[in-house]
Amino acid sequence: LVPEERAARLFALLRPLHDSARRMARCLCQSWADGDDLFQEAVLRALDRLDDLREEARFRPWFYAVLLSVHRARARRHFWRRFLPLPPHHGDAPRPADLGPDAEDVAGRAARVAQALARLPAAQREALVLFECEGFTLEEVAAAQEASLSAVKTRLMRGRARLREHYQGLLVAEEGALQPALATRETRNG
């Protein structure tokens, strides 16, 4: 195919899953801007390799496999960045105040989920996002991650356990922070 025809074919195939793939890329990264960069890089790689796609019906898992491959390559290339905390950047995202009274709470929960996911190893984070958020089957996750079914199940189990530990740690920390405040209030009232 000539480049224009290849691009038109890719955009036609990508149109139905554009939003979910972009959302997944953002979940895999520490910021929306990094997620958007990841998504754009995956689209470019998919464009280069579109001739490798044998069946258009298999485009969804094929594209997600490309996206995961780009994500892993970026993680290897920028290994040292894992150790630097990055401030959350939401780029062109609407501000919570513009979205209504519950939006601030939703934005806070989304930030906590993103922070928790960022603490997981890439393979566990990918498996959880594909399975829990994107609705992939275990077999589709295994194909996208180029892993065995048992490896995917293990990644899901370990990822969920790490998330549970993270949230339990937050709960303990919150309860610990509340105890002195409650004790101070009781001594004032007592």
Side-chain angles (χ1 to χ4, degrees):
L1 293 174
V2 295
E4 294 82 17
E5 290 174 353
R6 185 182 305 152
R9 180 179 175 216
L10 176 66
F11 294 138
L13 291 169
L14 187 59
R15 186 171 292 119
L17 64 118
H18 176 274
D19 292 339
S20 65
R22 184 175 176 211
R23 187 174 45 249
M24 181 184 161
R26 287 177 170 180
C27 287
L28 292 173
C29 295
Q30 292 185 351
S31 72
W32 282 20
D34 286 345
D36 289 345
D37 289 347
L38 169 63
F39 177 73
Q40 291 172 8
E41 194 174 331
V43 169
L44 291 174
R45 178 153 327 152
L47 183 61
D48 286 343
R49 299 195 177 160
L50 192 58
D51 294 335
D52 296 345
L53 178 65
R54 306 246 187 271
E55 300 174 39
E56 288 189 5
R58 304 269 314 137
F59 178 75
R60 180 177 180 250
W62 179 84
F63 182 77
Y64 277 91
V66 169
L67 181 69
L68 294 179
S69 174
V70 171
H71 175 250
R72 287 187 205 113
R74 290 178 67 170
R76 283 190 301 270
R77 201 170 48 234
H78 301 292
F79 177 77
W80 59 271
R81 290 180 67 191
R82 286 182 12 176
F83 303 106
L84 299 175
L86 296 176
H89 172 69
H90 301 294
D92 58 353
R95 292 177 307 201
D98 298 339
L99 298 175
D102 296 330
E104 219 166 293
D105 184 45
V106 171
R109 281 185 293 193
R112 287 190 297 275
V113 168
Q115 182 183 35
L117 284 172
R119 295 176 181 269
L120 296 178
Q124 290 175 12
R125 181 172 54 245
E126 291 169 0
L128 279 168
V129 171
L130 285 172
F131 186 75
E132 299 293 349
C133 301
E134 297 301 323
F136 275 53
T137 65
L138 291 172
E139 292 79 12
E140 289 173 328
V141 175
Q145 289 193 316
E146 298 175 347
S148 69
L149 198 56
S150 61
V152 169
K153 289 178 182 179
T154 300
R155 289 171 183 170
L156 288 170
M157 180 187 69
R158 289 180 179 166
R160 288 178 183 134
R162 290 181 87 162
L163 287 176
R164 193 176 307 112
E165 289 172 11
H166 174 76
Y167 281 110
Q168 286 172 343
L170 288 177
L171 184 61
V172 168
E174 286 178 11
E175 287 175 355
L178 287 177
Q179 293 304 322
L182 291 174
T184 304
R185 189 179 300 159
E186 289 174 5
T187 55
R188 276 192 241 149
N189 294 336

